[in-house]
Amino acid sequence: MQPEMYGRYPFQLSGGQLQRSSIALALPAKPDILIADEPTAALDSISAFKVLRLLADLQQETGCAMLFITHDLRHVRKYADRIVVMKEGVVVEQGEKHTILENPQHPYTKVLIAASPALASAIDLLTRESVG
């Protein structure tokens, strides 16, 4: 955190600064697992990128596991290793990222992927390249 930030009140920080501050507060405890529940909610795309990059870097540096809870499949595609899809609090599908995204089995997972046009297009392109 930048030194000029130390004297500020929470209402004087941006959403991204608040997210990064919260992450920094958790690190001295050296957690075995870091739970990030919608860490990019209500952030602009630049701040979201910075927060996600920070989380990825911290995970690599510390070796801690990360439970990344999100509805944004673009972030899942980029940062997750494994995916658990839940509907109404019940696990409907789980597995390796590529297996779930490229060959979803549950109808709800298929709907989620279809609802993310950029992700659906990327998966379609990957599938065509691997087949052809």
Side-chain angles (χ1 to χ4, degrees):
M1 191 180 312
Q2 300 161 341
E4 65 271 11
M5 305 300 279
Y6 294 134
R8 292 192 181 170
Y9 292 97
F11 69 86
Q12 294 174 310
L13 302 176
S14 70
Q17 290 168 331
L18 285 170
Q19 290 288 53
R20 292 189 297 272
S21 297
S22 297
I23 293 165
L25 288 171
L27 294 178
K30 297 184 180 174
D32 292 328
I33 183 168
L34 183 61
I35 300 172
D37 188 358
E38 293 288 354
T40 60
L43 296 180
D44 62 85
S45 58
I46 293 171
S47 295
F49 172 78
K50 289 179 181 179
V51 167
L52 291 171
R53 190 70 244 151
L54 173 64
L55 287 170
D57 290 347
L58 289 171
Q59 195 277 327
Q60 289 295 313
E61 289 172 19
T62 65
C64 75
M66 186 178 320
L67 176 59
F68 184 68
I69 302 167
T70 187
H71 66 280
D72 193 328
L73 293 180
R74 293 171 302 159
H75 299 319
V76 169
R77 182 171 160 250
K78 182 164 177 127
Y79 293 101
D81 295 322
R82 294 186 50 78
I83 297 174
V84 176
V85 179
M86 296 181 74
K87 180 181 182 196
E88 298 174 2
V90 176
V91 173
V92 296
E93 189 165 5
Q94 62 182 312
E96 297 295 319
K97 170 179 60 179
H98 294 292
T99 301
I100 299 295
L101 294 178
E102 293 171 16
N103 190 22
Q105 299 300 304
H106 194 275
Y108 184 69
T109 307
K110 292 175 183 179
V111 168
L112 289 176
I113 291 171
S116 179
L119 180 64
S121 296
I123 290 170
D124 185 50
L125 179 62
L126 288 172
T127 305
R128 278 189 270 134
E129 287 177 357
S130 64
V131 171

